[in-house]
């Protein structure tokens, strides 16, 4: 699988969008909220990525401790 190349500002956008939602990363897939975050990422970043790649960006940000911690 090819590496997802996001700039630091795009990674910050992912983290900022995630901070604005009440869902945890694991609760987001297949929700309207995930769709909204994906759309907003594309609008804010000016970059079009697949939903799969947006999910990977969220997962990578979580692994790198870039996301705020949320209670389940």
């Amino acid at each position: 699988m090819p590496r997802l190349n996001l700039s630091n500002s795009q990674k910050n956008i992912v983290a900022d969008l995630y901070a604005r939602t009440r869902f945890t990363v694991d609760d987001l897939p297949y929700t309207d909220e995930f769709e909204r975050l994906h759309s907003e990422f594309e609008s804010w970043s000016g970059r079009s990525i697949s939903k799969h790649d947006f999910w990977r960006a969220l997962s990578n940000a979580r692994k790198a401790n870039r996301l705020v911690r949320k209670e389940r």
Side-chain angles (χ1 to χ4, degrees):
M1 178 171 284
R3 183 176 173 172
L4 178 62
N5 290 317
L6 293 179
S7 68
N8 282 334
S9 65
Q10 290 168 336
K11 290 176 185 177
N12 289 336
I13 291 170
V14 170
D16 289 343
L17 288 171
Y18 176 73
R20 296 170 187 241
T21 184
R22 62 182 174 85
F23 291 94
T24 64
V25 173
D26 292 334
D27 293 332
L28 275 171
Y30 308 107
T31 64
D32 291 337
E33 186 70 4
F34 179 82
E35 301 292 328
R36 184 186 66 77
L37 293 175
H38 176 255
S39 272
E40 285 190 29
F41 173 81
E42 291 186 332
S43 293
W44 289 13
S45 69
R47 181 173 177 182
S48 179
I49 63 173
S50 70
K51 291 175 187 166
H52 175 80
D53 283 341
F54 183 68
W55 169 252
R56 286 178 53 206
L58 280 168
S59 297
N60 289 341
R62 177 176 54 187
K63 290 175 189 174
N65 291 319
R66 295 186 72 148
L67 301 182
V68 295
R69 195 154 189 54
K70 297 185 180 183
E71 294 294 320
R72 286 188 142 222

